[in-house]
Amino acid sequence: MKEPLIYELSVTGREGVKPPALDVPESDLPQELLRDDLPLPEVSEVDVIRHFHHLSHKNFSVDSVMYPLGSCTMKYNPKVNEVAARLPGFTGIHPMQDEETVQGALYIMHTLQEDIKAIGGFAGVTLQPAAGAHGELTGVLIMRKYHLDRGDTKRDTILIPDSAHGTNPASSSMSGLHVVQLPSDARGNVDLDELRKVANDRVVGLMLTNPNTLGLFDEHVEEIAEIVHGCGGLLYGDGANMNALMGIMRPGDLGIDVMHFNLHKTFSTPHGGGGPGSGPVGVAEHLVDFLPGPIVTIDPALSEEELPYYTLKMPAKSIGRVKSFWGHFGVIVRAYTYIHMLGTAGLRRAAEHAVLNANYMLSRLRDVYPLPYDRICKHEFVLEGHLPDAPDVHALDIAKRLIDYGVHPPTNYFPLIVHEALMIEPTETESKQAMDYYCDVLLKIAEEAKTDPQLLHDAPHETPVRRLDEVKAARKPHLRYEH
Ligand SMILES: *Cc1c(COP(=O)(O)O)cnc(C)c1O
């Protein structure tokens, strides 16, 4: 027997709400706005509440289950961040207010700029970009303007390793540059010989995701910086996932000239539903003048003795604005709260636990699932979701079967350089028990793959809808209720 849906509970004339008595003059609605063909269910208030409550429970979220989506850093977001972001002093201000009336908000932004500089080892930061990919576009525009400003007009190429995040080539092409892909070597590092072949005076820079999407820290990052700088290019660091590094090492010290951060990953803002995010960009001294503006600065002329005065300034050779107003302020408040709740030592501990957790899971799974790059990982690792003794079972079958055990599948089929990739990132917030459950399930599924592959081909079994066409489900969702 199936529980009736809200459409089936409808009874003509049943009412859910009683609108208040009319206290304005009555007037007729324009006829063209009225329709007779809108059969909304006529139900009571409790039926509506139950309908939406049930729907909300059909979602996976990091508040309900482990969600080890590689490269996404689905860490738990402490609720105190939400409390801070909802303080009336923050929600009640308007970006067009005079700056002297919003000194508190500017203080938060300025402090976060300083925090990001300290974490990354950079000389300047913009908080404007709305997400990681937007930060990349901003960074690439900064690099391009740096070269043009020096009168170096022939550079039109960006070098991107094949282990980079997919947004890197996308944002480079959006800025009109040619993308040259670099292969990885057998240990998952950038192939230095291939890099030397293409490092020339056409190169704007190289975009390095480090740790890369295999979860591996490039063992030659300083040599990469040397080669790229040697041909006059700049080194871009994709810092979306700072979870393995924060408090341990500063990318600026490795020779990275420009880098974006994802506040909605590393610095704990809920994400996954498409936003809002925030992708601040940090730069070394020689790029500070090109940052998009305005940037929050302290105006010493207006500062009273103990109290700095915060003001918004456009950098001298700025690439211009990349976002209306001052960026996604609510996300900025959440990141500020997260960073200051943890403090310097806490950030480092979080990074250490993220790395420890990933290596713990890797050590439990590596004897069963093939591991193409056999190294200690950083915050995530990539296995093959294709087992030697179950050739018909694929990564997708394993991912779908995980749903039946009540956990979220890892990223699959990415990065592309691993056959049938399963990319697992537990994050620092998972307990040993939660990770053990996830590993136990993956090991059990590996057994099922051998003994009952059909069970996996047909998974998920326990969900309201079964296996979907993932592209169509996203692009052409079927939202109609039908009998
Ligand atoms: C998530 C991610 C991005 C893109 O960030 P968005 O905020 O989704 O645009 C870029 N690089 C890496 C390594 C990422 O993990």
Side-chain angles (χ1 to χ4, degrees):
M1 217 190 306
K2 267 185 102 181
E3 150 200 32
L5 290 167
I6 192 162
Y7 309 94
E8 295 151 2
L9 294 173
S10 181
V11 172
T12 308
R14 183 178 281 163
E15 285 180 12
V17 285
K18 194 166 162 38
L22 193 65
D23 60 356
V24 291
E26 197 173 326
S27 70
D28 288 334
L29 280 171
Q31 277 307 309
E32 61 273 21
L33 289 184
L34 300 175
R35 8 187 322 201
D36 291 325
D37 60 343
L38 198 62
L40 291 174
E42 299 180 60
V43 291
S44 68
E45 177 174 323
V46 68
D47 293 331
V48 175
I49 293 292
R50 283 178 188 158
H51 172 68
F52 285 107
H53 192 75
H54 285 170
L55 282 184
S56 75
H57 281 249
K58 293 195 162 79
N59 281 333
F60 272 104
S61 82
V62 75
D63 283 357
S64 44
V65 296
M66 185 164 159
Y67 207 136
L69 211 53
S71 192
C72 289
T73 312
M74 301 299 282
K75 62 171 77 180
Y76 172 72
N77 306 289
K79 296 299 170 253
V80 66
N81 302 352
E82 299 303 312
V83 175
R86 282 167 176 70
L87 289 174
F90 293 137
T91 54
I93 52 177
H94 193 279
M96 289 175 83
Q97 271 176 246
D98 283 343
E99 62 188 27
E100 65 194 285
T101 67
V102 288
Q103 285 291 303
L106 293 177
Y107 163 81
I108 298 281
M109 293 175 67
H110 186 266
T111 311
L112 186 63
Q113 285 172 197
E114 295 301 310
D115 295 337
I116 294 174
K117 281 195 229 171
I119 292 166
F122 292 114
V125 164
T126 170
L127 299 178
Q128 276 192 13
H134 192 197
E136 291 168 26
L137 179 68
T138 304
V140 172
L141 293 175
I142 291 172
M143 300 204 293
R144 202 182 60 172
K145 182 130 191 198
Y146 164 82
H147 293 302
L148 293 176
D149 184 64
R150 295 184 301 128
D152 189 344
T153 54
K154 63 179 174 306
R155 293 183 188 264
D156 58 359
T157 303
I158 285 265
L159 309 178
I160 303 183
D162 59 5
S163 60
H165 195 266
T167 47
N168 290 193
S171 33
S172 304
S173 335
M174 267 194 80
S175 52
L177 301 171
H178 294 300
V179 175
V180 171
Q181 185 172 298
L182 293 170
S184 303
D185 67 15
R187 285 182 60 76
N189 298 313
V190 172
D191 188 321
L192 290 182
D193 292 333
E194 294 299 321
L195 170 59
R196 285 195 192 93
K197 281 187 207 154
V198 291
N200 58 34
D201 61 1
R202 302 290 292 265
V203 168
V204 172
L206 183 148
M207 291 180 93
L208 189 68
T209 305
N210 193 27
N212 62 23
T213 54
L214 299 166
L216 302 177
F217 191 86
D218 199 296
E219 294 165 304
H220 312 123
V221 58
E222 283 163 305
E223 276 165 277
I224 293 173
E226 221 175 279
I227 298 170
V228 173
H229 291 150
C231 74
L234 295 168
L235 186 57
Y236 185 99
D238 181 329
N241 314 111
M242 275 293 283
N243 232 29
L245 306 183
M246 57 181 178
I248 296 174
M249 57 82 52
R250 307 189 309 165
D253 296 340
L254 295 178
I256 287 174
D257 302 287
V258 45
M259 186 171 105
H260 80 269
F261 297 74
N262 275 22
L263 298 188
H264 49 291
K265 287 183 183 167
T266 317
F267 301 103
S268 158
T269 281
H271 64 289
S278 178
V281 173
V283 294
E285 195 66 51
H286 49 284
L287 299 176
V288 167
D289 282 348
F290 302 102
L291 281 171
I295 306 270
V296 187
T297 49
I298 294 178
D299 189 336
L302 292 169
S303 299
E304 294 179 14
E305 237 168 78
E306 304 260 323
L307 215 54
Y309 184 85
Y310 298 98
T311 184
L312 290 153
K313 284 232 170 72
M314 209 66 181
K317 298 174 182 173
S318 176
I319 60 164
R321 275 183 167 279
V322 296
K323 177 91 178 78
S324 56
F325 299 121
W326 330 122
H328 284 155
F329 184 67
V331 180
I332 290 169
V333 175
R334 287 177 178 88
Y336 170 92
T337 310
Y338 179 74
I339 289 171
H340 288 265
M341 289 296 292
L342 282 179
T344 310
L347 286 180
R348 186 187 170 103
R349 263 175 74 79
E352 287 168 350
H353 279 268
V355 173
L356 183 64
N357 283 358
N359 280 287
Y360 176 68
M361 288 188 72
L362 173 59
S363 72
R364 282 212 54 199
L365 298 169
R366 54 175 296 153
D367 292 339
V368 173
Y369 288 88
L371 173 66
Y373 295 91
D374 186 1
R375 284 172 53 188
I376 300 271
C377 68
K378 293 294 173 223
H379 59 293
E380 64 195 0
F381 58 97
V382 183
L383 300 169
E384 282 180 20
H386 195 228
L387 304 159
D389 38 13
D392 291 343
V393 170
H394 297 277
L396 188 67
D397 301 317
I398 294 167
K400 295 296 180 192
R401 184 65 180 144
L402 278 163
I403 297 172
D404 285 334
Y405 289 98
V407 289
H408 198 285
T411 300
N412 47 66
Y413 298 98
F414 183 83
L416 303 175
I417 53 176
V418 172
H419 175 63
E420 304 260 350
L422 289 176
M423 184 192 199
I424 300 177
E425 180 184 9
T427 81
E428 72 280 11
T429 49
E430 293 305 328
S431 65
K432 178 169 180 296
Q433 289 76 8
M435 290 189 291
D436 277 335
Y437 175 71
Y438 204 97
C439 292
D440 291 343
V441 168
L442 271 170
L443 296 173
K444 177 144 188 249
I445 291 173
E447 281 302 312
E448 291 173 351
K450 278 182 268 173
T451 54
D452 189 1
Q454 197 56 39
L455 184 70
L456 272 66
H457 296 319
D458 295 340
H461 300 266
E462 309 290 337
T463 47
V465 283
R466 301 288 294 280
R467 201 174 290 202
L468 296 170
D469 176 329
E470 296 186 358
V471 175
K472 272 203 194 140
R475 303 255 158 87
K476 280 194 182 161
H478 186 73
L479 300 174
R480 261 185 83 125
Y481 164 77
E482 274 160 335
H483 236 333

